[in-house]
Amino acid sequence: MGEARILAMHPDDNVALCLDPVAAGDALAGGVIAGEAIAPGHKIALVAIEPGEAVRKYGQVIGLATAAIAPGAHVHVHNVSADVGALRSAAGAPPAPALPARRARFRGYRRASGTVGTRNYIGILTSVNCSANVARAIAAAFPDAMFHDGGAVDGVVALTHTTGCGMTPASEGTANLQRTLAGYCAHPNFAAVLVVGLGCEMMQIAGFADAVEAARQGVTLRTLTIQEEGGTRAAIEAGRAIIHELIAEASTATREEVSAEHLILGLQCGGSDGWSGVTANPALGRAADLLVAAGGTAILSETPEIWGAEQLLFARAESDAVRTTLQERLDWWADYVARNGAELNNNPSPGNIAGGLTTILEKSLGAVAKSGSSPLRGVYRYGEPITARGFVFMDSPGYDPCSATGQMAAGANILAFTTGRGSVFGSKPAPCIKLASNRALAARMAEDMDIDCSPVLDGVSLDAMGEAIFDLLLRTASGERSKSEGLGLGDLEFVPWQMGAVM
């Protein structure tokens, strides 16, 4: 067997990634002798690192050594701290030169507003948790099997949540929920939406379900309240009658070929590992750049997971105003976690650590790679409608279902989700493709993974892998079902960001 492979990501790095299992005594590239067994995806020291010295990967600081680290030693949570102080903000590179404009097409549902849907669902939303059971009972009369005949309607989906009452009217939490529900009411992947309320809740239907705005977006909007209908059974019967009407109307929709400029891609990662920042995330970044070159939009989110890598985004901001707005969101998060007795460097998760990620800085640097290299053109609040084309940032927690919910509320009509440890995330109404960072995961969870990015480790270029991902995005946008759609996922992943006091 040949020598175990290691990979240094940047000439300035003092650690490398182990591509293969490393045994104690193995002679590695650059004359490094392994001092201990190290698992694939974990880091090995290339040179001696003194206590308090910066540990560097991707050419950036990922932590400080908490003990003397010998060449060939395992570099991980036992000898590295995320508490790097002023060393954290190394300079980022400016945006790469724009890729040549390209023509890319997909087949979608053109709406009256000019937006385009990649799916044609009937949605049932709730104003409050008190109407969740009624909404689900309405949807239960229209199982997915009804829509597997190749017709225009993709299904009926009830998206319920756990809040909507006991909230402070003029609060960030209320504004978040209103934006989220309003965004879903007008989402281009919905042909029609029924909103179900109880009647007495704080989150009144009239506060977010604007029938005129929905119609302008090309979405038919209907409402009903349980108290006015006469109770549970009557509301379920009334709701089912409405859905029958909406299905008949939506069944007349047809796909047509449109420009990829109508695609708004939500970028997500979860269950990350040491490979994520090397294979799946940068490959998705290449695909995001291709979408931007075709006139489309890519949304990066998960603000706590850019902490330690924000300098890369600052360097790509197209204006001081964009840079200032991003800093404001980071400042808000610093205050928010302090108020709640938390800290931004409480990541990575146990699964991330087992996969080789040591600090939030390392995780963030790898996560930002999925955004590509295009200029940052705008920064948005959670669920705020995306108005700029190109690469943008939307503020959200790092919790994947919550972040993805905000992206769809903001207009994302397709999602891409990278994972190294494994994820079973699916979403509606926007389809989600999942990208495996390593071969073992792609094989072990083949029913959940749409594309294996591990060939990057065997010589396939990131550009070629990005092209493959972009092609899959176009095919999925045109109606090809993702793995999560095939499994029927997405009904329970609607998770609006809940914050503030519940009374």
Side-chain angles (χ1 to χ4, degrees):
M1 182 177 178
E3 69 176 23
R5 298 171 300 162
I6 61 174
L7 175 66
M9 303 300 298
H10 189 276
D12 294 340
D13 290 352
N14 52 13
V15 298
L17 184 71
C18 295
L19 303 185
D20 302 308
V22 170
D26 278 355
L28 306 172
V32 176
I33 305 297
E36 57 192 303
I38 304 175
H42 285 242
K43 295 176 293 298
I44 186 170
L46 297 174
V47 296
I49 306 173
E50 298 299 322
E53 186 178 347
V55 178
R56 296 182 181 275
K57 181 182 176 185
Y58 305 114
Q60 300 284 323
V61 176
I62 65 166
L64 294 186
T66 56
I69 303 174
H74 184 202
V75 179
H76 203 26
V77 292
H78 63 288
N79 53 17
V80 178
S81 167
D83 187 11
V84 298
L87 286 177
R88 185 167 65 91
S89 297
L99 294 175
R102 61 186 291 157
R103 183 180 184 271
R105 314 281 287 178
F106 74 100
R107 293 184 60 79
Y109 295 99
R110 191 184 292 276
R111 305 303 185 190
S113 64
T115 60
V116 175
T118 62
R119 294 294 183 267
N120 197 45
Y121 278 104
I122 306 297
I124 305 174
L125 302 178
T126 58
S127 59
V128 66
N129 181 252
C130 305
S131 56
N133 280 323
V134 167
R136 292 200 178 280
I138 294 169
F142 308 93
D144 287 347
M146 288 181 57
F147 306 98
H148 290 171
D149 58 358
V153 177
D154 288 293
V156 174
V157 55
L159 300 175
T160 64
H161 57 93
T162 62
T163 183
C165 212
M167 305 169 69
T168 303
S171 67
E172 291 174 309
T174 297
N176 272 350
L177 183 58
Q178 286 177 327
R179 283 197 303 271
T180 301
L181 292 170
Y184 273 73
C185 282
H187 197 283
N189 285 10
F190 281 135
V193 171
L194 169 64
V195 182
V196 182
L198 177 61
C200 58
E201 60 270 21
M202 190 281 291
M203 185 63 65
Q204 288 286 298
I205 290 177
F208 65 87
D210 187 334
V212 173
E213 174 60 20
R216 191 180 73 80
Q217 297 295 333
V219 178
T220 300
L221 180 64
R222 302 281 294 276
T223 64
L224 69 82
T225 58
I226 298 167
Q227 292 168 350
E228 291 179 5
E229 292 297 331
T232 299
R233 191 181 304 276
I236 292 170
E237 291 176 356
R240 289 176 175 176
I242 291 171
I243 295 298
H244 274 294
E245 296 173 10
L246 297 179
I247 290 173
E249 179 182 325
S251 296
T252 63
T254 58
R255 288 185 182 271
E256 59 181 283
E257 188 173 280
V258 296
S259 167
E261 70 187 46
H262 296 291
L263 283 182
I264 302 178
L265 171 65
L267 303 167
Q268 289 290 322
C269 64
S272 300
D273 68 353
W275 308 115
S276 295
V278 182
T279 61
N281 284 345
L284 178 55
R286 298 297 202 278
D289 286 340
L290 292 173
L291 177 59
V292 169
T297 301
I299 311 171
L300 181 67
S301 298
E302 300 177 295
T303 313
E305 295 187 10
I306 68 165
W307 190 84
E310 67 270 26
Q311 67 275 10
L312 305 183
L313 297 177
F314 286 144
R316 292 165 57 189
E318 72 169 7
S319 69
D320 289 339
V322 170
R323 192 175 296 106
T324 297
T325 305
L326 179 59
Q327 184 63 63
E328 288 172 351
R329 299 319 304 155
L330 288 163
D331 292 343
W332 181 92
W333 270 96
D335 176 67
Y336 179 62
V337 298
R339 281 187 278 126
N340 288 278
E343 54 186 23
L344 284 171
N345 66 352
N346 68 347
N347 238 321
S349 70
N352 298 148
I353 292 169
L357 294 175
T358 301
T359 66
I360 184 58
L361 293 87
E362 180 184 10
K363 183 179 180 182
S364 294
L365 289 163
V368 168
K370 67 182 179 287
S371 69
S373 60
S374 301
L376 177 61
R377 301 203 58 222
V379 176
Y380 295 84
R381 289 179 178 266
Y382 185 85
E384 184 180 0
I386 302 297
T387 55
R389 283 185 177 165
F391 168 53
V392 300
F393 185 86
M394 187 203 76
D395 183 31
S396 83
Y399 181 43
D400 306 313
C402 178
S403 179
T405 295
Q407 289 179 333
M408 285 183 280
N413 53 12
I414 192 167
L415 303 179
F417 190 120
T418 69
T419 183
R421 302 293 291 175
S423 169
V424 294
F425 179 81
S427 57
K428 293 178 181 177
C432 177
I433 64 168
K434 290 197 288 296
L435 291 68
S437 73
N438 63 83
R439 183 176 292 107
L441 169 64
R444 186 174 67 251
M445 296 182 62
E447 290 187 340
D448 292 279
M449 298 297 114
D450 293 275
I451 192 165
D452 175 12
C453 296
S454 68
V456 168
L457 299 174
D458 299 319
V460 174
S461 71
L462 286 170
D463 287 339
M465 187 58 65
E467 289 279 2
I469 296 168
F470 186 56
D471 179 68
L472 179 58
L473 288 168
L474 295 176
R475 299 197 323 263
T476 303
S478 299
E480 182 175 312
R481 297 216 305 170
S482 68
K483 293 290 184 70
S484 63
E485 288 179 296
L487 291 168
L489 306 178
D491 298 66
L492 300 178
E493 288 83 353
F494 178 70
V495 184
W497 183 6
Q498 185 173 346
M499 62 167 68
V502 177
M503 297 171 287

